Amino acid sequence: MQALGLIETVGYLTAVSAADAAVKAADVEIVGIEKVIGVSGYLGVTVHFSGDVAAVKSAVDSGRDAAERIGKVISSHVIPRAHQEVAGKLLPHFKLEKKSVIEDKPDHSGLEEDVEQ
């Protein structure tokens, strides 16, 4: 297993901001998300990243910094080589489904391009 990075925040907006900054900062993949009600009485969200050690460290640092500008970060951590038990038994419970929230939509602005025939 490659490195595992975690950023735990209060609130979904803070987590999305952390995730966006993290994946823009380094070549990492978001591999999971965990939502828990009860952290400081709010929604706790932990985003999981995977990639090589240096990339994950850079991504977690950037994500944490961005999240702190938006809301509250509970903790962040990088595990350089997660044990196979962690990767095989814990992480599958938090895996993301492969779907995109933002989709490319056709342009319906009413303007049509000239097409030569």
Side-chain angles (χ1 to χ4, degrees):
M1 160 138 207
Q2 295 182 312
L4 172 65
L6 306 155
I7 301 174
E8 181 180 14
T9 69
V10 173
Y12 196 72
L13 174 62
T14 307
V16 170
S17 297
D20 182 59
V23 298
K24 286 177 178 175
D27 186 21
V28 296
E29 179 182 358
I30 299 171
V31 293
I33 188 165
E34 175 183 4
K35 296 172 268 189
V36 178
I37 297 174
V39 177
S40 300
Y42 297 98
L43 175 67
V45 181
T46 304
V47 183
H48 307 223
F49 304 94
S50 180
D52 68 52
V53 176
V56 172
K57 284 183 180 180
S58 177
V60 168
D61 288 345
S62 295
R64 183 189 60 242
D65 291 345
E68 287 173 339
R69 289 191 295 273
I70 302 295
K72 185 174 182 180
V73 174
I74 302 298
S75 62
S76 62
H77 187 62
V78 174
I79 302 171
R81 289 184 334 262
H83 191 277
Q84 197 168 11
E85 289 287 307
V86 172
K89 294 185 180 174
L90 291 179
L91 294 182
H93 295 284
F94 308 110
K95 280 198 172 208
L96 290 174
E97 294 179 20
K98 297 283 184 178
K99 64 180 180 179
S100 176
V101 175
I102 301 172
E103 298 177 14
D104 292 333
K105 295 184 179 179
D107 181 16
H108 296 292
S109 63
L111 302 175
E112 298 196 20
E113 296 179 23
D114 292 332
V115 179
E116 292 184 31
Q117 294 182 355

